[in-house]
Every structure is written in C-alpha cells, then in structure tokens.
Amino acid sequence: MQVKILPRSVLVGHERLAVRAQEVLRHNDMGGWTRAAPELYPHQWSWDSAFIAIGLAHLNTRRAARELESLFEHQWKTGKVPHIVFNPEAQPGSYFPGPDHWACAAASPEAPPAPPYTSCLCQPPVHAIAALRIWEVAERNGGEEAGAARAFLREIYPGLLLWHRYLLTYRDPEGSGLITIFHPWESGTDNSPRWDTPLAAVEVSDLAPYPRYDLQHVANPSQRPTDADYDRYLWLVKLIKKAGCNERSIYRTHPFLVKDVLFSAILVAANEALLTIAGLVGAQAEDRTLIADWIKRGRRGLGRCRNPELGLCLDHDLRAGRALRVHTVAGLVPLVAGGLRPWHLAILLEALRSSSFIGYPGLGRPLPPSTSPNDPGFDPRSYWRGPLWPVIDWLLWWALERAGENQLAERLRESSLEQIAEEGFAEYFEPFTGEPLGSKEQSWTAAVALDWLASGPRRKMLAA
Ligand code: 2M8
C-alpha cells in the first residue's frame, strides 16, 4: 500500500526523520514544557510552545496539552500570554535579557506570581490553532486519547478566550481588527526589514552596557541581529518597563507602535480555531457571536492593508501614520487568515509563486525566503532578513491546504522535509545553498517536521 505512493527509500528516510525529530524534542523537554533550543534559547517561548504542541500531538496527547497548559499557567491577569517564561534552572549567562532584567514585570499588578519570571511582551497567538490540532489528531486516533483531548479543550478554552480578548482590546483600542506590537520581539520576526523604518526613528540614550550571550551560540555573529538593533531592542524594553508594562501608558508614549499583519492574520486563523473549540466545549452563544465578530473584524482590517501594486499586505506604522513598504513573506499572510475571495487568493498565489518569492532564480528549493531577494533589506544569512524558516513554511502550507491549493501545499511540505532531512533541525536555512544557520536542534523545526510527516499523502493513503 505505502509503496504505491512513495518509494521505499523515501519512506525509510521519513521514518528516520521522525525518530530524529522526536529525539530533538525529547532532548529539549523540561518535564511539562520544552526549551526553544538547548543553548541559544533555554527558556519557554510562547509561539514556539504552540508549534511544539502541534508536533507533540502526534506523540502523546497529554504531553502536547501540557505544553500549552504550562504556558497558560503564566498568563497575565489582563489575558496576555507572555512571550517568555524563564527557566529558573537555566545557566546564568546563557540568555540575555534574562529573568533579572525582566523581574520588573513581576512588580506589575497584572503579572502572575513569580518566580518563574516572565517577560512582559507577547508573541503571535498560534495557541488556539495548536489546541485544536491536538484534538484533531487525538480524534483520529480515537479511544482514551480523544477523551483526554476533549477534557483539555474544556480546560484551556477560558484562557484562550481571555488571551484573544486581551489582543482585541488592549492591542487594538482602535477596533481595527489589527494588532499593535510594542517591540519587534513581539512580531517573532525580530530583525525583519519590516521594522527598519520604525526602529530607525527610535532614539536611544543612556543605555547601560549589556552582554550579547546570543553570539556565543551561532557560528557567525552576522546570523544574528546587529548591536545597533540590540541597542534599540533594549531601549524599547527600558521604556516599556518605565511605563509599568501598562498598555495604556505605552500607547500614549512609546516610540514603536506598529500594526503587525502577520500577527493579525494568525489571530484571525486562531479565532477560527477558537470558534470550533467553543462549539466543541459547548460555550455560550455570546462567546460564539463575539469570536465570529472578531474574525470579520480581522479580515476587514487585513483587507485594508492590501497594497495593490505589490500584491501584498503591509504593516502600518502608527507613529508615522504610514504603511511599511517592504517585500517580506509577512505580506502573504491573508492566506493564513483565510476567507478569501477567489480573485484575492489568485493574487496572493501569484505573489508566492513569483520571482519575488519561490520563483526567484537560483533558490535551492521552491520555498519562500523570509524577505524577498528583491527587497533592499534582503540578506540570505541574517536571521529574519532572508533565510528560510520552517515554521513560516508550515503556516503557509497549512493555509494553502485550507484554501484547497493542495498541489502547491504539497510542494512546500516535501521541499521543507527534504531540506530538514538533509541539513538537520536548524533554526533557519540559507535560501540558495540550504546551509543550516542559527541554533541547532531547534524544537519548533522538529515539531513542524513531525506534523508534516504525519500529514502527507502517505498518511491520507493509510487512513483511506
Ligand atoms: C527569536 O527571538 C528571541 C527573542 O524573543 C531572540 O532572538 O532572542 C525569534 O526567532 C522568535 O520568533 C522565537 O520565538 C525565539 C525563540 O525561538 O527566538
């Protein structure tokens, strides 16, 4: 049966890859949560944990559920899910800014009890998508697993609703359907050229010297953000701390306020997942009406960010009052939000296939660079300025499948798996040579590989 779909050598390769992916997750497992990477990122990161839960769903329902539950134990009273929960056992000097730097957040009346300390930023809300995926996989497996997944959905639902409510109120006081970020770290795409213009407008003064521990863990400092970027990152943190981590004060005074389209599109998709979860757990009708309204609001907001000339969706700098005209993979994100009219879907697919992204001449594989090689800010080796990121490919693959674009989705899945099988579970990859860059043994790379391995034509064939 299997041999009809894929040659035996490929199946054996896939099985080996699944075993290696499990080893990475096991190695980074801290009990109820997973380090984003063993050296560079020894703490729990918010959206990493969501992707990790998606991978773990194929190994153990309860452990996958635990990954999200442990993160949500540190949810702030406002509903914010912190971008980092600090590991009290991490080696001193392993990550900066660490718990001491963020301890101030514990002084906020909205912060959860500490230790462990959390940061006071947040990251894209992949969590409801992950929670639903845990249930979907468990349902397929049936039996006890399915019961455990339903119990988990009942438990996590109020936290997820509170989290989305936080984003649509504190981070969207304008009611635009688009989420405001206060720091590039909140976007998850830290040094993307998306942030070059608004960051350039941030004036840094009297910053105490600080260590760049991150540079110890990569082969070359050019793979990480520059010192000038870091000065601005830390300056923004200082201002956020000074404002008592209070959103209203930050909104009044902060120099970096940007409507992030990637974050906002993920929230629309997460709201769709939440609406399904609300149905599964028998939530009240008002909740469902509210979530359905959030979805409409988000799609309308993203529609307004469309740049007809580029065929992409653009972030909006609230301080400068203008769209940020850069050519990055974030511009394709209405795909992730779904609900597209056929003409809009066609434009986005054309942009994805074009010589700005997967059709660019000379790419190692038909995968979209995080920044288009046509953008002046493109750098093929520097973090979010050009390299390929498996989690972004996962989001696009997932969106394409939902849009019924199975052929293109399958191409992304197979190419990403091939790359990981050849080069390992790197944090990101050079788009022309496929060279692995950044951290090795990155948890979310292993997690999305596991989900892809379980989701291809082979699984569908076996299920048939
Ligand atoms: C990277 O971000 C952290 C700061 O949050 C860093 O560079 O120190 C980003 O790739 C982010 O998206 C990711 O969640 C984190 C951990 O993998 O690393």
Short mmCIF file of all heavy atoms in Angstrom, two decimals, residues 36 41 45 47-48 83-84 95 123 185 188-190 224 230 383-384 389 427 442 444, ligand 1:
data_model
loop_
_atom_site.label_atom_id
_atom_site.label_comp_id
_atom_site.label_asym_id
_atom_site.label_seq_id
_atom_site.Cartn_x
_atom_site.Cartn_y
_atom_site.Cartn_z
N ALA A 36 13.09 26.22 23.78
CA ALA A 36 13.01 26.52 22.34
C ALA A 36 14.23 25.94 21.62
O ALA A 36 14.14 25.47 20.49
CB ALA A 36 12.91 28.02 22.11
N TYR A 41 18.38 29.26 23.33
CA TYR A 41 17.08 29.64 23.93
C TYR A 41 16.68 28.64 25.03
O TYR A 41 15.82 27.78 24.80
CB TYR A 41 15.99 29.64 22.85
CG TYR A 41 16.29 30.47 21.63
CD1 TYR A 41 16.42 29.87 20.37
CD2 TYR A 41 16.42 31.85 21.70
CE1 TYR A 41 16.68 30.63 19.24
CE2 TYR A 41 16.69 32.62 20.58
CZ TYR A 41 16.81 32.00 19.34
OH TYR A 41 17.06 32.74 18.22
N TRP A 45 9.35 29.74 25.14
CA TRP A 45 8.86 30.86 24.32
C TRP A 45 7.42 30.56 23.91
O TRP A 45 7.07 29.40 23.63
CB TRP A 45 9.71 31.03 23.06
CG TRP A 45 10.73 32.13 23.16
CD1 TRP A 45 10.60 33.41 22.71
CD2 TRP A 45 12.04 32.08 23.76
NE1 TRP A 45 11.74 34.14 22.99
CE2 TRP A 45 12.63 33.35 23.63
CE3 TRP A 45 12.76 31.07 24.42
CZ2 TRP A 45 13.90 33.64 24.11
CZ3 TRP A 45 14.03 31.36 24.89
CH2 TRP A 45 14.59 32.62 24.74
N TRP A 47 5.17 31.38 21.16
CA TRP A 47 4.68 30.75 19.92
C TRP A 47 5.48 29.51 19.58
O TRP A 47 4.97 28.60 18.93
CB TRP A 47 4.50 31.74 18.78
CG TRP A 47 5.66 32.31 18.02
CD1 TRP A 47 6.89 32.61 18.50
CD2 TRP A 47 5.67 32.67 16.61
NE1 TRP A 47 7.67 33.16 17.50
CE2 TRP A 47 6.94 33.21 16.33
CE3 TRP A 47 4.75 32.61 15.58
CZ2 TRP A 47 7.31 33.68 15.06
CZ3 TRP A 47 5.10 33.07 14.32
CH2 TRP A 47 6.36 33.59 14.07
N ASP A 48 6.72 29.40 20.09
CA ASP A 48 7.46 28.15 19.93
C ASP A 48 6.67 27.02 20.58
O ASP A 48 6.52 25.93 20.01
CB ASP A 48 8.85 28.22 20.59
CG ASP A 48 9.76 29.27 19.96
OD1 ASP A 48 9.37 30.45 19.96
OD2 ASP A 48 10.84 28.92 19.47
N HIS A 83 5.71 36.40 26.29
CA HIS A 83 6.49 35.83 25.19
C HIS A 83 7.58 34.88 25.69
O HIS A 83 7.92 33.94 24.99
CB HIS A 83 6.97 36.93 24.24
CG HIS A 83 8.41 37.33 24.23
ND1 HIS A 83 9.00 38.07 25.22
CD2 HIS A 83 9.38 37.11 23.30
CE1 HIS A 83 10.26 38.30 24.91
NE2 HIS A 83 10.52 37.72 23.75
N ILE A 84 8.04 35.10 26.94
CA ILE A 84 9.00 34.13 27.52
C ILE A 84 8.58 33.83 28.96
O ILE A 84 8.23 34.74 29.71
CB ILE A 84 10.44 34.68 27.58
CG1 ILE A 84 10.93 35.16 26.21
CG2 ILE A 84 11.41 33.62 28.12
CD1 ILE A 84 12.32 35.80 26.23
N TYR A 95 21.37 33.47 28.50
CA TYR A 95 20.48 34.24 27.62
C TYR A 95 20.31 35.64 28.18
O TYR A 95 20.13 35.82 29.39
CB TYR A 95 19.10 33.57 27.51
CG TYR A 95 18.19 34.31 26.54
CD1 TYR A 95 18.31 34.11 25.17
CD2 TYR A 95 17.28 35.26 27.00
CE1 TYR A 95 17.51 34.82 24.27
CE2 TYR A 95 16.47 35.97 26.10
CZ TYR A 95 16.59 35.74 24.74
OH TYR A 95 15.81 36.45 23.85
N GLN A 123 3.68 37.29 21.88
CA GLN A 123 4.07 36.82 20.54
C GLN A 123 2.83 36.32 19.78
O GLN A 123 1.77 36.14 20.38
CB GLN A 123 5.06 35.66 20.66
CG GLN A 123 6.50 36.08 20.82
CD GLN A 123 7.46 34.90 20.77
OE1 GLN A 123 7.13 33.81 21.23
NE2 GLN A 123 8.65 35.11 20.23
N TRP A 185 10.37 42.09 18.96
CA TRP A 185 10.32 40.73 19.52
C TRP A 185 8.88 40.21 19.55
O TRP A 185 8.65 39.00 19.54
CB TRP A 185 10.92 40.71 20.94
CG TRP A 185 12.43 40.76 20.94
CD1 TRP A 185 13.26 40.42 19.91
CD2 TRP A 185 13.27 41.17 22.02
NE1 TRP A 185 14.57 40.59 20.29
CE2 TRP A 185 14.61 41.05 21.58
CE3 TRP A 185 13.04 41.60 23.33
CZ2 TRP A 185 15.71 41.35 22.39
CZ3 TRP A 185 14.13 41.91 24.14
CH2 TRP A 185 15.45 41.79 23.67
N GLY A 188 7.86 38.20 16.48
CA GLY A 188 8.51 36.89 16.27
C GLY A 188 9.49 36.93 15.10
O GLY A 188 10.28 36.02 14.93
N THR A 189 9.46 37.99 14.29
CA THR A 189 10.37 38.11 13.13
C THR A 189 11.32 39.28 13.40
O THR A 189 11.37 40.26 12.65
CB THR A 189 9.58 38.35 11.83
OG1 THR A 189 8.91 39.62 11.91
CG2 THR A 189 8.52 37.29 11.58
N ASP A 190 12.08 39.13 14.48
CA ASP A 190 12.77 40.24 15.16
C ASP A 190 13.47 41.28 14.28
O ASP A 190 13.20 42.45 14.38
CB ASP A 190 13.79 39.67 16.15
CG ASP A 190 13.17 38.65 17.09
OD1 ASP A 190 11.98 38.33 16.95
OD2 ASP A 190 13.89 38.17 17.97
N ARG A 224 22.93 36.87 13.43
CA ARG A 224 22.04 37.42 14.46
C ARG A 224 21.84 38.92 14.23
O ARG A 224 22.55 39.53 13.42
CB ARG A 224 22.69 37.20 15.86
CG ARG A 224 22.78 35.77 16.31
CD ARG A 224 21.48 35.20 16.78
NE ARG A 224 20.89 35.93 17.90
CZ ARG A 224 19.66 35.71 18.36
NH1 ARG A 224 18.89 34.80 17.81
NH2 ARG A 224 19.19 36.42 19.37
N TYR A 230 20.18 45.61 18.64
CA TYR A 230 20.04 45.25 20.06
C TYR A 230 19.91 46.48 20.95
O TYR A 230 19.15 46.46 21.92
CB TYR A 230 21.19 44.33 20.52
CG TYR A 230 20.70 42.92 20.69
CD1 TYR A 230 20.53 42.10 19.58
CD2 TYR A 230 20.37 42.40 21.94
CE1 TYR A 230 20.03 40.81 19.70
CE2 TYR A 230 19.87 41.11 22.08
CZ TYR A 230 19.71 40.32 20.96
OH TYR A 230 19.20 39.05 21.10
N TYR A 383 19.24 35.80 9.87
CA TYR A 383 18.06 35.67 10.73
C TYR A 383 16.77 35.91 9.95
O TYR A 383 16.50 35.19 9.00
CB TYR A 383 18.28 36.68 11.86
CG TYR A 383 17.63 36.42 13.18
CD1 TYR A 383 17.51 35.16 13.72
CD2 TYR A 383 17.16 37.50 13.92
CE1 TYR A 383 16.92 34.99 14.96
CE2 TYR A 383 16.59 37.34 15.16
CZ TYR A 383 16.47 36.08 15.68
OH TYR A 383 15.89 35.92 16.91
N TRP A 384 15.99 36.92 10.27
CA TRP A 384 14.69 37.11 9.59
C TRP A 384 14.81 38.01 8.36
O TRP A 384 13.81 38.47 7.83
CB TRP A 384 13.67 37.68 10.57
CG TRP A 384 13.23 36.68 11.60
CD1 TRP A 384 13.74 36.52 12.86
CD2 TRP A 384 12.21 35.67 11.46
NE1 TRP A 384 13.10 35.48 13.51
CE2 TRP A 384 12.15 34.95 12.67
CE3 TRP A 384 11.34 35.30 10.43
CZ2 TRP A 384 11.27 33.90 12.90
CZ3 TRP A 384 10.45 34.26 10.64
CH2 TRP A 384 10.43 33.57 11.86
N TRP A 389 12.48 29.83 7.04
CA TRP A 389 12.08 29.42 8.40
C TRP A 389 11.00 28.34 8.28
O TRP A 389 9.89 28.63 7.79
CB TRP A 389 11.53 30.63 9.17
CG TRP A 389 12.60 31.57 9.62
CD1 TRP A 389 13.28 32.46 8.84
CD2 TRP A 389 13.14 31.69 10.95
NE1 TRP A 389 14.20 33.14 9.61
CE2 TRP A 389 14.13 32.69 10.90
CE3 TRP A 389 12.88 31.07 12.17
CZ2 TRP A 389 14.87 33.07 12.03
CZ3 TRP A 389 13.61 31.46 13.29
CH2 TRP A 389 14.59 32.43 13.21
N GLU A 427 17.55 26.29 13.10
CA GLU A 427 16.57 27.36 13.35
C GLU A 427 16.11 27.96 12.01
O GLU A 427 14.94 28.21 11.81
CB GLU A 427 17.25 28.42 14.22
CG GLU A 427 16.33 29.47 14.78
CD GLU A 427 17.09 30.51 15.61
OE1 GLU A 427 18.35 30.45 15.67
OE2 GLU A 427 16.43 31.38 16.20
N GLN A 442 16.64 23.02 16.99
CA GLN A 442 15.58 23.96 17.34
C GLN A 442 14.27 23.16 17.47
O GLN A 442 13.84 22.47 16.53
CB GLN A 442 15.48 25.02 16.25
CG GLN A 442 14.49 26.11 16.50
CD GLN A 442 15.03 27.26 17.37
OE1 GLN A 442 16.22 27.31 17.68
NE2 GLN A 442 14.15 28.14 17.78
N TRP A 444 11.01 23.89 17.48
CA TRP A 444 9.85 24.05 16.59
C TRP A 444 10.11 23.50 15.20
O TRP A 444 9.18 23.09 14.50
CB TRP A 444 9.29 25.46 16.60
CG TRP A 444 10.11 26.59 16.04
CD1 TRP A 444 11.30 26.52 15.37
CD2 TRP A 444 9.77 27.99 16.10
NE1 TRP A 444 11.72 27.79 15.01
CE2 TRP A 444 10.80 28.71 15.44
CE3 TRP A 444 8.70 28.71 16.62
CZ2 TRP A 444 10.79 30.10 15.32
CZ3 TRP A 444 8.70 30.10 16.48
CH2 TRP A 444 9.73 30.78 15.85
C1 2M8 B 1 13.82 34.59 18.40
O1 2M8 B 1 13.59 35.66 19.30
C2 2M8 B 1 14.29 35.82 20.55
C3 2M8 B 1 13.64 36.99 21.29
O2 2M8 B 1 12.30 36.68 21.58
C4 2M8 B 1 15.76 36.11 20.39
O3 2M8 B 1 16.26 36.30 19.28
O4 2M8 B 1 16.45 36.14 21.41
C5 2M8 B 1 12.72 34.70 17.30
O5 2M8 B 1 13.02 33.89 16.21
C6 2M8 B 1 11.37 34.33 17.91
O6 2M8 B 1 10.39 34.29 16.91
C7 2M8 B 1 11.43 32.96 18.61
O7 2M8 B 1 10.22 32.75 19.27
C8 2M8 B 1 12.59 32.91 19.62
C9 2M8 B 1 12.81 31.50 20.19
O8 2M8 B 1 12.88 30.55 19.16
O9 2M8 B 1 13.82 33.32 19.01
#
